[in-house]
Amino acid sequence: TNTSNPSVIFGAALLARNAVEKGLKVPPWVKTSLAPGSKVVRNYLEKADLIEPLEALGFNIVAYGCTTCIGNSGPLDPAIERAQENGELNLVSVLSGNRNFEGRIHKNVKSSYLMSPPLVVAYAIAGTMEIDLTSEPLGAGVYLKDIWPTKDEIAQHIALYLKEEDFKENYQAIFEGDENWKALEVSQSELYPWDSASTYIAKAPFFEDLGEKDNSFVDGRTLIYLGDSFTTDHINPAGNIEESYPAGQYLLSRGVSVENFNSYGSRRGNHEVMVRGTFGNRRIHQKLTPDLEGSYTKKFPSNETMFVFDAAMAYQKEKTDLIVLAGTEYGSGSSRDWAAKGTLLLGVKAVIAKSFERIHRSNLVGMGVLPLEFTTEHHLKGDELFSLQIPSVPTPKMNLTLGVTPPSEESYSLELLVRLDSPIEVEYYLSGGILHYVLLDYLKMA
């Protein structure tokens, strides 16, 4: 993300040059990479003779675009992964991207820190976060202050090597593509020719049921019971697909080898993969399975522990309506559309939370999933039966009564706030989401 700012890129490269000149190296257990957002970065670093010192420290250019911050930086050393899984290590990432949500950088990395590119290089050399860079040496008696470039030096390099013609050269042909792109065979058609064999692009089922539906639910169950600040990365991860998880098993069943799984982000055109990845983050902690970490839940009334996707499919076969329970700031983080799409495809009718992140709440409404907020404190365990009668035409921000029936106690009720915040959101919701609303409106005019 910071590669749009040449001052910090030159700062990192000059720090790398100074470090190499003083004999500093990156320890062998540290994995490093450089992924600029633009090829212009390579141009001006090459002109300044600063590519070589970065590469000497392992910061080779691996791609142009999203990599580490979306989980695309590849595997770790197998021995290091095993040590982490055995509880011997707390793996840490440092990056100059814009996201550090749990499990996003890598499934085995629990701690991630965002910082400037020069500091990323410095911590790579240090090889640990357990260091005070203001008072402890990076190595061989060399301190951070000894290799930190001056503002004047950075400004001089920008003036000498950052040129307008580099941007024109790189961007004037940006839509032409390379030879591989040009060699792709494309069928000339106004309609997309769906390929049933594709595991990347599939015809999603969002328009299969345009009829009226009953939004109320009786004897509904909790699919998953989440805590505070549950992010869209938890709901729908973008990184690597695990072999043992439902999405990995689906790809194996379609003949895709593990090394060709790619990532959830690359397969977001295939709903079969994405719905299996919903609530598929390896770092999920939830109240129905407090002793397990990952994409697990408890299926009621059998109390069987299983993957969230498998439980949702079992509930669908039983025609059981589903809800999600959550704490504050539900859906914080990236405005990821599949966090709402996947929730819908799992069969969830409503999400009941203490509060919502603004964009994800809107996305839930856009997919026809009802966002509801607790108005008082509650003591739900998640094993209850839930009933909610929704009026045929709800009004924005109205209150509704949730019926709660615990397994061995008397029923009671809780007041909920309907987070349909405007008349148009009510219309979206009653239509089954914004996609249905637009299509139905178009059909009326046809």
Side-chain angles (χ1 to χ4, degrees), residues 182-442:
K182 294 174 182 177
L184 290 175
E185 295 183 8
V186 180
S187 60
Q188 299 296 321
S189 172
E190 292 185 0
L191 298 177
Y192 182 78
W194 298 103
D195 181 2
S196 60
S198 175
T199 55
Y200 276 96
I201 301 177
K203 187 177 181 181
F206 298 126
F207 295 110
E208 289 182 358
D209 182 15
L210 289 175
E212 292 185 4
K213 60 179 182 177
D214 184 8
N215 291 314
S216 300
F217 51 87
V218 178
D219 291 344
R221 289 288 188 181
T222 302
L223 177 62
I224 190 168
Y225 191 171
L226 307 163
D228 297 336
S229 301
F230 198 78
T231 73
T232 52
D233 268 271
H234 288 107
I235 302 171
N236 203 271
N240 292 338
I241 301 170
E242 294 202 51
E243 180 181 356
S244 62
Y245 273 35
Q249 291 297 299
Y250 168 78
L251 290 173
L252 288 174
S253 74
R254 296 296 302 271
V256 181
S257 60
V258 175
E259 58 268 23
N260 289 318
F261 275 6
N262 214 320
S263 65
Y264 285 111
S266 67
R267 292 188 181 272
R268 57 191 170 193
N270 188 317
H271 65 281
E272 297 286 5
V273 174
M274 299 306 289
V275 68
R276 287 166 172 80
T278 303
F279 299 110
N281 191 304
R282 186 173 178 174
R283 297 299 173 201
I284 289 178
H285 297 269
Q286 67 127 336
K287 297 182 181 182
L288 299 184
T289 51
D291 297 327
L292 285 175
E293 182 182 56
S295 184
Y296 302 100
T297 195
K298 190 170 286 186
K299 166 73 170 56
F300 297 110
S302 65
N303 288 324
E304 182 182 356
T305 298
M306 58 180 68
F307 283 116
V308 172
F309 172 79
D310 294 337
M313 295 304 102
Y315 282 126
Q316 285 191 23
K317 287 182 180 179
E318 299 169 0
K319 300 187 183 304
T320 300
D321 295 325
L322 295 176
I323 65 169
V324 169
L325 296 176
T328 58
E329 296 180 325
Y330 180 75
S332 56
S334 304
S335 56
R336 188 164 297 161
D337 59 337
W338 265 108
K341 290 177 181 176
T343 299
L344 171 71
L345 294 183
L346 286 176
V348 174
K349 277 196 166 184
V351 177
I352 310 176
K354 290 185 177 180
S355 65
F356 289 89
E357 189 277 335
R358 175 180 58 88
I359 296 177
H360 184 62
R361 183 205 63 82
S362 178
N363 286 347
L364 287 172
V365 175
M367 293 311 300
V369 178
L370 183 62
L372 299 162
E373 283 186 7
F374 294 106
T375 59
T376 59
E377 289 299 317
H378 65 86
H379 302 284
L380 296 174
K381 296 180 180 178
D383 58 354
E384 302 90 348
L385 290 169
F386 298 94
S387 298
L388 185 70
Q389 186 63 41
I390 299 174
S392 57
V393 184
T395 56
K397 294 189 174 182
M398 69 183 297
N399 283 352
L400 292 177
T401 301
L402 178 71
V404 182
T405 304
S408 57
E409 301 175 25
E410 291 187 5
S411 299
Y412 63 95
S413 61
L414 290 171
E415 289 299 307
L416 302 176
L417 173 67
V418 175
R419 286 303 310 275
L420 300 174
D421 291 355
S422 64
I424 190 61
E425 285 195 341
V426 171
E427 292 190 45
Y428 291 159
Y429 174 67
L430 293 176
S431 298
I434 192 170
L435 298 177
H436 287 195
Y437 174 84
V438 171
L439 183 57
L440 290 170
D441 191 55
Y442 175 79

